[in-house]
Amino acid sequence: MGLPHRVSWKVLGLVLLAAFTTQLTVSSQSAAEVIYHRGIDGDPDTLDPQKTSGTNESKILRDLFEGLVAHDAMGKLIPGVAQSWDVSGDGKTYTFHLRPTAKWSNGDPIQAADFVFSFRRLLTPDTAARYASLYYPILAAEKLHKRLGAGPDDLGVEASDSQTLIIRLERSTPYFLELLALQAAYPLHPGNLRMNGSDFVRPEVLVSNGAYTLVENVPNSHVVLKKNHEYYDADGVQIDTVYYHPVKDVSAGVRRFLAGELHSVSDFPTDQYKSLRDKFGAQVSVAPSLGTYYLAFNTQKQPFSDSRIRNALSMAIDREFLSEAIWSGTMLPAYSFIPPGIGNYGQPAEAAYKAITLIEREEAARQLLRAAGYGPGLQALNVSLRYNESDNNRRTMVAIADMWKNALGINTTLINSDATAHFSHLRNGGDFDVARGGWIADYSDPQNFLFLFQSDNPGLNYSRYRNPEFDDVMRRAADQTDLAVRAQLLHTADTIIARDVPYVPLLFYAHRNIISKKLKGFYPNPVGANATRFMQLTP
């Protein structure tokens, strides 16, 4: 169609220039990088999936890697690298069918043999994987990990072809699929590991298979991830870059959120909960979590090897005060180590003294101390209490020290360090009297709490608790296929822990987040699974 003769070339030029400018603006906006600034509680200890156990690492690794199964935005299990699977009638054989489009970040196809390599590495003793014992349900896994005559070829994980992985179990395990979503079960690129050794986790070296790749890892500053364009669902990933910022001071984290520097933070000062809620409304989230905040006793060290001492110190703690005065109701008092509502279970075993008043408990605690040789006119009991530094932890430990002083006359020395140093000290057998710990369930089953006390779990059994009776009950529970009988056995084990008190349950966790209105798809859930690939950022 021709142009009207009355339209001047000057006007036409202006029209064309305006159209070009509009198109350029739209193109620039569409090409603008979407960056998510995410606050987490501390630096990752390591980004080797099979050597981690912390929640900080799990958040980052969930973006970098993907297992056979994964968690969706609501924390529910969904297919991961495996697009489907079959389970035998006896529940002991799982056959996984891998996605033909699944690739490593370097473009190599992901093969079933990569998972064989990774599970063998996980269960090889020299790897020192902290979660290795979780995978003992796999055929020959325990024997391989404990050097009891089994070799890597005996492990019940095999590739029948490049796209089919078969995992055989020693026994039917109701939570087995949940284990496959944990970071310990993520696959590793065999060639990358063989070529680079322990340096395979370095930025620009790490070959991953998740929605993101590792670009930077600067301790005490940030971890940067970039979108992995080889990921099978890369077109569905809306955020291009993730900056993980370690926030050790939760008050500082809130200030950075207020300043617009962070789109989300994973904690906040509990004494600010009401004021933050008034200011930000639903952006401040407190959601239930399957987790326990506790103290661990060094049961191999006098006098904490005496259960009377441990019981006395536990009884003198006012959990209701901690919950309301310190945590503003964002944590609930805990008298059992296993939180209520756990799957495949009933009512957890609680401390017997829950039913009596605090005054009665304090008197009973003084009697226990006297029986153990401590108190007025006897030996003085001095306690060192270690914890990882944060505002909330500091206030909690100061309150506990005051309770022990006022009720029992105990002098407490507080020792704090950053989270990485604190938990490394506990995992590696460092000396301590009493230490703060916490456990968030990886899957909803009582075994995921009780396995912490097994004597063959040194990396996570901070209390160094050793009880053959407990270990035997846990072994029998592991061999039990009847879920009702299994629950009874686990309750017996739970009761032993409540009696011996190697740990002091203090509070049940809740997930505390502040989430920007600009960030969509961040849904707090009991397992704390919030992969960035399910989120979007709006201007």
Side-chain angles (χ1 to χ4, degrees), residues 341-357:
I342 199 81
N344 304 316
Y345 203 46
Q347 178 64 32
E350 294 185 322
Y353 54 76
K354 179 185 178 182
I356 63 177
T357 68

Side-chain angles (χ1 to χ4, degrees), residues 171-238:
R171 52 194 173 270
S172 176
T173 304
Y175 54 86
F176 183 66
L177 283 175
E178 291 274 2
L179 295 180
L180 301 181
L182 303 183
Q183 62 260 37
Y186 291 158
L188 297 176
H189 188 286
N192 184 40
L193 198 67
R194 290 175 181 134
M195 179 181 296
N196 296 292
S198 60
D199 286 338
F200 86 96
V201 296
R202 291 175 56 194
E204 307 290 357
V205 173
L206 180 66
V207 177
S208 57
N209 75 317
Y212 293 89
T213 60
L214 179 65
V215 177
E216 293 183 35
N217 183 2
V218 182
N220 299 310
S221 180
H222 61 265
V223 176
V224 182
L225 312 184
K226 292 280 189 180
K227 181 176 175 178
N228 175 14
H229 292 283
E230 298 291 346
Y231 183 58
Y232 64 83
D233 190 29
D235 290 344
V237 178
Q238 302 298 307

Side-chain angles (χ1 to χ4, degrees), residues 464-538:
R464 297 135 199 205
Y465 176 69
R466 300 191 188 104
N467 185 332
E469 177 191 11
F470 175 84
D471 289 342
D472 178 65
V473 174
M474 290 296 291
R475 278 192 293 269
R476 287 190 283 132
D479 291 333
Q480 182 54 244
T481 58
D482 185 309
L483 286 180
V485 175
R486 176 179 180 270
Q488 291 173 356
L489 287 167
L490 291 175
H491 192 271
T492 298
D494 195 8
T495 302
I496 294 170
I497 294 302
R499 178 197 70 199
D500 289 354
V501 198
Y503 289 34
V504 179
L506 297 174
L507 300 158
F508 292 128
Y509 275 112
H511 293 297
R512 293 183 298 278
N513 295 280
I514 310 180
I515 306 163
S516 170
K517 290 180 179 178
K518 297 179 180 180
L519 185 63
K520 310 299 181 184
F522 190 123
Y523 301 111
N525 54 73
V527 294
N530 299 109
T532 305
R533 74 178 177 102
F534 296 115
M535 302 181 201
Q536 306 86 40
L537 267 173
T538 59

Side-chain angles (χ1 to χ4, degrees), residues 105-126:
S105 57
N106 66 355
D108 291 347
I110 298 176
Q111 301 187 2
D114 299 338
F115 281 94
V116 176
F117 169 85
S118 302
F119 274 106
R120 288 179 176 180
R121 178 179 185 262
L122 168 67
L123 289 154
T124 296
D126 291 343

Side-chain angles (χ1 to χ4, degrees), residues 88-198:
S88 63
D90 62 3
K92 294 170 65 174
T93 302
Y94 287 71
T95 303
F96 295 92
H97 309 284
L98 275 54
R99 298 177 188 271
T101 55
K103 295 181 180 180
W104 292 102
S105 57
N106 66 355
D108 291 347
I110 298 176
Q111 301 187 2
D114 299 338
F115 281 94
V116 176
F117 169 85
S118 302
F119 274 106
R120 288 179 176 180
R121 178 179 185 262
L122 168 67
L123 289 154
T124 296
D126 291 343
T127 302
R130 294 167 188 163
Y131 272 3
S133 64
L134 286 184
Y135 296 87
Y136 284 0
I138 297 175
L139 185 68
E142 184 174 7
K143 291 180 179 178
L144 172 59
H145 189 241
K146 292 182 176 180
R147 305 182 195 271
L148 298 176
D153 291 342
D154 299 311
L155 188 66
V157 182
E158 65 175 286
S160 61
D161 59 51
S162 64
Q163 297 297 302
T164 308
L165 182 76
I166 300 173
I167 300 181
R168 294 184 173 86
L169 306 184
E170 296 274 4
R171 52 194 173 270
S172 176
T173 304
Y175 54 86
F176 183 66
L177 283 175
E178 291 274 2
L179 295 180
L180 301 181
L182 303 183
Q183 62 260 37
Y186 291 158
L188 297 176
H189 188 286
N192 184 40
L193 198 67
R194 290 175 181 134
M195 179 181 296
N196 296 292
S198 60

